[in-house]
C-alpha cells in the first residue's frame, strides 16, 4: 500500500489556558436565566485562565455600554492594559452589529492568511462574545445575515 504524503503546510500554535480548562479554539456557551452570572463568569475566565489566549475579544452586548454593568468596566481596563488594545480601536458594541461582525471575521481571515504566507507560527486568535440579547432574538438569531 502506498503511503499518503501531505504537502507541507504552516501549522499555527495557539495559546492555551492551563489544565483543566478547555482549549481556546472551541465554541462555548454560558446559558441560564437573567441574573445568574453568565457575564461575570465569562469576564472572570477571560481575565483569569484565558487572559493570554486571544489576540482580540469582540463584545456585542447591550450591558457593555458604559454605566450599565460595572463588570464591563474591569474588562475595559483589562483590554487597554493587559491586552494593549489602542484606545482608538473599538472592541465593544452595545447593539447587535452583523455588518461589523462580518468585517471583523473577514479581517481575521486576512490577518491569518498573511501570517501563514509569512510562515509565522502563532495564529491571530479572536473571540466574539455575544451577551444579553435574549430579549432581541428577532434581531440576533433571525437576522437576514444569518450570522
Amino acid at each position: 500500500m502506498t503511503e499518503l504524503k501531505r504537502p507541507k503546510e504552516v501549522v499555527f500554535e495557539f495559546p492555551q489556558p492551563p489544565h483543566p480548562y478547555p482549549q481556546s479554539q472551541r465554541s462555548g456557551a454560558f446559558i441560564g436565566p437573567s441574573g445568574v452570572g453568565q457575564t461575570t463568569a465569562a469576564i472572570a475566565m477571560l481575565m483569569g485562565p484565558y487572559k493570554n489566549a486571544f489576540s482580540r475579544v469582540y463584545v456585542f452586548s447591550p450591558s457593555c455600554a458604559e454605566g450599565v454593568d460595572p463588570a464591563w468596566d474591569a474588562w475595559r481596563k483589562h483590554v487597554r492594559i493587559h491586552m494593549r488594545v489602542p484606545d482608538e480601536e473599538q472592541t465593544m458594541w452595545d447593539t447587535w452589529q452583523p455588518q461589523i461582525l462580518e468585517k471583523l471575521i473577514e479581517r481575521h481571515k486576512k490577518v491569518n492568511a498573511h501570517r501563514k504566507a509569512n510562515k509565522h507560527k502563532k495564529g491571530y486568535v479572536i473571540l466574539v462574545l455575544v451577551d444579553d440579547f435574549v430579549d432581541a432574538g428577532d434581531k440576533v438569531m433571525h437576522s437576514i445575515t444569518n450570522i
Side-chain angles (χ1 to χ4, degrees):
M1 179 181 270
T2 58
E3 228 178 279
L4 178 64
K5 291 187 180 184
R6 293 179 59 158
K8 280 195 170 195
E9 58 186 316
V10 176
V11 178
F12 279 152
E13 297 170 5
F14 298 103
Q16 298 299 327
H19 180 76
Y21 297 96
Q23 292 185 352
S24 63
Q25 278 57 58
R26 304 288 183 262
S27 297
F30 289 106
I31 301 171
S34 293
V36 297
Q38 301 96 314
T39 300
T40 53
I43 292 170
M45 289 183 74
L46 288 169
M47 291 173 62
Y50 288 87
K51 71 180 171 191
N52 297 315
F54 302 101
S55 305
R56 289 292 184 273
V57 176
Y58 300 113
V59 177
F60 294 87
S61 173
S63 66
C64 80
E66 289 197 47
V68 175
D69 186 340
W72 288 115
D73 295 338
W75 176 248
R76 276 186 198 81
K77 184 176 179 182
H78 176 84
V79 167
R80 300 297 173 230
I81 294 170
H82 179 77
M83 296 180 75
R84 297 185 179 143
V85 176
D87 288 336
E88 61 274 3
E89 183 180 343
Q90 186 173 358
T91 59
M92 300 174 78
W93 292 265
D94 60 0
T95 58
W96 179 240
Q97 299 287 334
Q99 302 84 0
I100 290 173
L101 181 54
E102 287 175 357
K103 287 178 185 175
L104 294 170
I105 292 169
E106 194 56 40
R107 182 172 67 194
H108 176 251
K109 284 191 233 177
K110 287 178 183 176
V111 168
N112 275 334
H114 176 77
R115 294 182 68 77
K116 275 189 178 183
N118 289 291
K119 302 195 182 342
H120 289 275
K121 294 289 183 187
K122 292 196 176 190
Y124 184 81
V125 186
I126 67 169
L127 170 74
V128 177
L129 194 155
V130 180
D131 183 38
D132 285 338
F133 280 106
V134 72
D135 294 329
D138 58 324
K139 293 180 186 140
V140 178
M141 298 304 295
H142 303 291
S143 69
I144 195 165
T145 59
N146 285 327
I147 291 182

